[in-house]
Amino acid sequence: MKKTILFYLLLNISIFSCFGLDPCCVQPCQNRGVCLSKGSDSYECDCTRTGFYGENCTIPELSTRIKSFLKPSPNLVHHILTHYKWIWDIINNISFIRDAIMRYVLTSRANLIDSPPTFNSDYDYKSWEAYSNLSYYTRTLPPLPKHCPGGTTALPAAKDVVQKVLLRKRFTPDPQGTSLMFAFFAQHFTHQFFKSDLKKGPAFTKSLGHGVDLSHIYGETLEKQHKLRLFKDGKLKYQVVDGEVYPPLVKDVQVEMHYPPHVSEQQRFAVGHEAFGLVPGLMMYATLWLREHNRVCDIMKQEHPDWDDERIFQTTRLILIGQTIKIVIEDYVQHLSGYHFKLKFDPELLFNQKFQYQNRIAAEFNTLYHWHPLMPDAFHIQNQVYSFPQFLFNNSIVTEHGISNLVESFTKQTAGRISGGWNLPPAVQGMATKVLEQSRQMRYQSLNAYRKRFNMRPYMSFQDLTGDKELALELEKLYGHVDAVELYSGLLVEKPRPNAVFGETMVEMGAPFSLKGLMGNPICSPEYWMPSTFGGKVGFDIVNSASLKKLVCLNVKGPCPIVSFKVPDIQFPSLTNVNASSDPAGHRGINPTVLLKERSSEL
Ligand SMILES: *[C@@H]1O[C@H](CO)[C@@H](O)[C@H](O)[C@H]1NC(C)=O
Ligand SMILES: *[C@@H]1O[C@H](CO)[C@@H](O)[C@H](O)[C@H]1NC(C)=O
Ligand SMILES: *[C@@H]1O[C@H](CO)[C@@H](O)[C@H](O)[C@H]1NC(C)=O
Ligand SMILES: *[C@@H]1O[C@H](CO)[C@@H](O)[C@H](O)[C@H]1NC(C)=O
């Protein structure tokens, strides 16, 4: 802390001496104590329920001392969960231990999220406006007050940060074996709640559901939903191409979608999210969920021949929300975590806990989820290779290859590693610059401030942060002091955990937001979580047995393709080189690290 203060002092001597400075600007209150200024020369720290006391909330209470003594470090917990497979094989089989661990995972993570929400990008203190105005993303750490110095003035140009430490030099594959099937799921799933309203600014969202509401399938307004619905048996509108179901055309349903002018009328598919024409991976998932919706409607119709269109539609939507959460926890987060512990989606685990069934999406969650390093340099589909420009806004790829082939190709292609620096595809560098500029506009606190907020120790040096000399040197040239490193660039340059896609901060920050958002959904609450909510036992079973594999296999014609968030071990396709053999079989048995070494010796 002393260093931070010194840093601000050095940078802002002139401002300090010209105005009576708010004493809270130096953030004297530690351990989440709240600072209240009292004129320009005194302040008070509110240490209520922080577990600390004293002028600056720095002295731990006895119970805090004991807890911190007993609490293992996040890295140790991660190590245990990702090693000792034989022990986990046993624990996963003993249901009461598995339940207890899962309950602990959920509560310990979700407890880190303020609920009800507190701040937003315009209010760094609690206020009714900040609580009640749903157009804002919430904020986990309040913005640096506008009258305080520091923050954006001393930072390097966003463009320089992107070019010097983020931009890909050569493709680094994810050692966890994450597939593009995962990458597109992430993009598709998160866009239902990350939907900045850029007309108003980056602090605002258009997705007022603030969570898993499936607005990316059904539209964010009732008007759009109605245009997408068939109004028969609960179903959504569709078209048939080569005997398979695809989303309807924009010209037939008249909903707003974002396509550039060169895209022909026949290729303008209409789905719940207006931006999902961007990449075939998104349209593939949109198609799968559309088929799933109509499939579940048929089952509901059979179960309840007396139900009208509206009841079938609404019940099916709840079932799909349940399926989504199940898949996200047991397939998606399971893969991402790399844990040998088998995660479990079971809302009942929280019924005897203090838990608020509500959620507000945080701006910081949106910022940290810009996982663009996952994107490869080119896309391998069957025996074709598509460059970025060929791939973008090209729905004909979806219908020409068909869903089954897309799934199999995306499952076989390895995604990029997210943390570790220098792995951002050049095609999306403009986006990264914007994320940095928007974080500054919203007056984000530093990476180290967020580390403290999520119970991690602040990094002491650039080497400590990156674990890489060359990268540390570049960062130092940009930021000068490690306490000045911003959240987004910090997350992308952080040293990854061994053989993992992320560093510590991404996981320790991301998991609480994610689990709170999933379990805080109303369908997980005691009043909702019962068979009747989902159309009876049949619907409840659909929720409780959902998986990525079923989502695909029950919705494609013919045999089930290979489908996984992890590239199957036996087969790694060529990774980046557009000119490389496009026959994945040619690379059978080669693991990506070897391939990378080969490539670097080529260069
Ligand atoms: C509390 O913080 C202020 C400002 O950082 C510092 O001047 C003061 O000495 C601290 N008080 C204690 C008791 O540590
Ligand atoms: C433990 O799990 C394995 C597979 O995960 C299963 O084959 C085995 O029957 C289980 N054993 C017990 C005792 O439940
Ligand atoms: C939320 O805040 C924004 C910005 O102050 C304002 O334009 C908007 O009208 C508010 N929304 C509501 C519902 O009050
Ligand atoms: C779109 O994909 C098709 C293959 O389905 C390809 O022939 C075409 O060149 C691509 N379009 C563009 C603009 O690259």
Side-chain angles (χ1 to χ4, degrees):
M1 193 58 213
K2 282 224 173 75
K3 268 190 190 148
T4 322
I5 295 161
L6 197 74
F7 176 68
Y8 283 128
L9 281 174
L10 286 174
L11 283 170
N12 299 291
I13 283 168
S14 58
I15 306 172
F16 265 67
S17 49
C18 290
F19 307 99
L21 188 79
D22 176 350
C24 287
C25 286
V26 296
Q27 301 185 317
C29 310
Q30 303 300 300
N31 300 304
R32 303 188 58 194
V34 180
C35 188
L36 278 183
S37 61
K38 292 155 73 175
S40 64
D41 54 0
S42 106
Y43 66 90
E44 201 175 273
C45 292
D46 184 347
C47 312
T48 306
R49 287 183 286 278
T50 58
F52 292 81
Y53 62 99
E55 190 188 335
N56 298 329
C57 312
T58 48
I59 312 168
E61 289 163 5
L62 181 65
S63 61
T64 309
R65 258 181 235 275
I66 297 171
K67 265 186 222 149
S68 78
F69 177 74
L70 292 175
K71 203 170 159 229
S73 78
N75 280 331
L76 178 64
V77 173
H78 183 84
H79 178 88
I80 294 170
L81 284 161
T82 52
H83 292 75
Y84 317 109
K85 185 169 182 306
W86 64 275
I87 300 183
W88 291 112
D89 283 347
I90 298 170
I91 290 177
N92 290 337
N93 257 345
I94 309 172
S95 65
F96 82 96
I97 302 184
R98 184 180 170 208
D99 286 358
I101 294 176
M102 192 63 207
R103 188 179 297 117
Y104 175 77
V105 168
L106 292 174
T107 50
S108 64
R109 297 288 193 187
N111 279 343
L112 287 167
I113 304 300
D114 289 335
S115 184
T118 44
F119 314 111
N120 69 29
S121 293
D122 285 328
Y123 289 88
D124 58 302
Y125 49 90
K126 278 159 213 155
S127 70
W128 192 256
E129 177 61 21
Y131 166 71
S132 64
N133 191 328
L134 293 177
S135 305
Y136 283 92
Y137 289 116
T138 187
R139 284 286 289 271
T140 302
L141 278 182
L144 294 164
K146 287 209 174 75
H147 59 265
C148 289
T152 63
T153 45
L155 292 169
K159 239 186 169 158
D160 290 345
V161 176
V162 173
Q163 277 175 5
K164 298 269 161 56
V165 295
L166 300 188
L167 210 54
R168 177 172 290 163
K169 292 185 164 178
R170 61 167 181 273
F171 179 74
T172 310
D174 170 30
Q176 239 170 286
T178 299
S179 66
L180 288 192
M181 194 64 188
F182 175 95
F184 291 124
F185 188 98
Q187 196 179 12
H188 180 264
F189 166 71
T190 59
H191 276 63
Q192 68 190 297
F193 46 77
F194 296 145
K195 220 173 165 185
S196 298
D197 188 348
L198 292 175
K199 268 185 221 142
K200 289 189 186 154
F204 296 91
T205 175
K206 284 193 277 189
S207 194
L208 305 180
H210 285 273
V212 184
D213 60 357
L214 267 42
S215 57
H216 61 330
I217 298 173
Y218 302 111
E220 80 204 2
T221 62
L222 191 58
E223 192 199 351
K224 182 157 189 181
Q225 182 205 107
H226 283 180
K227 286 179 173 173
L228 291 169
R229 280 171 62 178
L230 197 57
F231 287 109
K232 185 168 184 301
D233 301 339
K235 290 188 178 181
L236 292 170
K237 288 179 186 159
Y238 60 92
Q239 60 168 326
V240 177
V241 181
D242 297 334
E244 294 216 73
V245 167
Y246 289 95
L249 294 177
V250 170
K251 73 174 170 63
D252 295 329
V253 296
Q254 298 296 321
V255 302
E256 199 201 323
M257 290 291 291
H258 300 160
Y259 287 103
H262 76 263
V263 177
S264 76
E265 224 175 42
Q266 286 312 310
Q267 295 302 333
R268 292 174 180 247
F269 294 177
V271 297
H273 195 299
E274 61 270 19
F276 280 1
L278 179 67
V279 280
L282 288 171
M283 199 50 79
M284 172 193 76
Y285 274 111
T287 305
L288 282 167
W289 283 113
L290 165 69
R291 293 179 185 177
E292 179 65 7
H293 176 93
N294 287 352
R295 188 186 77 85
V296 173
C297 284
D298 282 335
I299 297 171
M300 284 297 113
K301 170 91 179 163
Q302 207 171 17
E303 283 291 305
H304 307 282
D306 52 319
W307 279 7
D308 64 359
D309 166 78
E310 184 69 13
R311 182 100 196 244
I312 296 178
F313 171 83
Q314 298 295 352
T315 304
T316 300
R317 182 174 186 164
L318 291 181
I319 292 173
L320 263 71
I321 290 174
Q323 290 179 294
T324 300
I325 300 175
K326 171 92 174 169
I327 292 172
V328 170
I329 292 181
E330 294 193 5
D331 285 317
Y332 177 94
V333 179
Q334 182 75 58
H335 165 74
L336 205 56
S337 69
Y339 293 171
H340 293 310
F341 172 64
K342 205 159 165 256
L343 299 173
K344 185 179 182 190
F345 171 51
D346 180 3
E348 290 187 13
L349 293 175
L350 293 177
F351 286 179
N352 56 0
Q353 305 288 308
K354 278 188 284 178
F355 186 79
Q356 296 278 335
Y357 290 97
Q358 57 168 310
N359 189 53
R360 196 76 60 86
I361 298 295
E364 295 97 332
F365 189 30
N366 182 9
T367 299
L368 77 76
Y369 232 117
H370 285 76
W371 292 350
H372 295 75
L374 285 172
M375 286 295 115
D377 293 331
F379 302 85
H380 300 244
I381 302 172
Q382 292 184 276
N383 43 19
Q384 306 245 36
V385 180
Y386 295 96
S387 66
F388 259 94
Q390 292 170 317
F391 197 65
L392 295 187
F393 292 111
N394 195 341
N395 284 333
S396 78
I397 290 178
V398 182
T399 43
E400 244 167 60
H401 294 276
I403 299 299
S404 205
N405 290 318
L406 284 182
V407 167
E408 187 147 323
S409 298
F410 291 150
T411 295
K412 285 177 177 172
Q413 189 172 355
T414 308
R417 193 180 213 178
I418 295 171
S419 297
W422 291 324
N423 205 22
L424 184 80
V428 297
Q429 59 180 309
M431 173 286 312
T433 310
K434 235 181 234 153
V435 172
L436 284 172
E437 284 166 354
Q438 290 169 351
S439 312
R440 295 170 185 192
Q441 199 183 330
M442 292 188 281
R443 300 184 62 85
Y444 272 18
Q445 298 190 32
S446 66
L447 172 74
N448 268 343
Y450 280 101
R451 283 184 56 84
K452 285 192 259 179
R453 169 63 178 73
F454 286 89
N455 297 335
M456 288 168 278
R457 66 169 184 84
Y459 283 122
M460 305 306 289
S461 67
F462 291 102
Q463 178 69 28
D464 189 20
L465 162 63
T466 62
D468 179 285
K469 267 205 184 115
E470 206 186 328
L471 192 53
L473 208 68
E474 287 294 338
L475 268 181
E476 182 156 19
K477 278 191 233 158
L478 290 164
Y479 286 103
H481 194 287
V482 71
D483 283 339
V485 174
E486 297 161 274
L487 178 64
Y488 176 63
S489 45
L491 287 163
L492 292 195
V493 300
E494 186 179 29
K495 59 177 177 285
R497 281 168 162 161
N499 297 314
V501 63
F502 295 136
E504 181 190 35
T505 316
M506 188 78 86
V507 177
E508 299 302 313
M509 272 186 79
F513 287 129
S514 163
L515 293 176
K516 170 70 184 173
L518 295 164
M519 300 308 292
N521 194 288
I523 69 150
C524 299
S525 69
E527 274 308 312
Y528 279 71
W529 187 249
M530 54 184 80
S532 53
T533 306
F534 305 95
K537 183 178 179 311
V538 170
F540 205 36
D541 284 348
I542 294 176
V543 171
N544 283 310
S545 65
S547 68
L548 173 70
K549 195 163 180 181
K550 278 195 179 172
L551 173 67
V552 171
C553 297
L554 295 176
N555 291 300
V556 294
K557 280 204 177 135
C560 181
I562 304 173
V563 43
S564 173
F565 287 147
K566 185 168 192 268
V567 177
D569 285 336
I570 36 142
Q571 192 176 63
F572 283 99
S574 60
L575 295 168
T576 56
N577 200 332
V578 182
N579 304 319
S581 154
S582 51
D583 172 19
H587 294 274
R588 232 175 256 269
I590 298 175
N591 86 30
T593 346
V594 175
L595 228 135
L596 186 75
K597 278 190 192 132
E598 277 174 5
R599 281 184 45 77
S600 43
S601 58
E602 257 171 49
L603 294 168

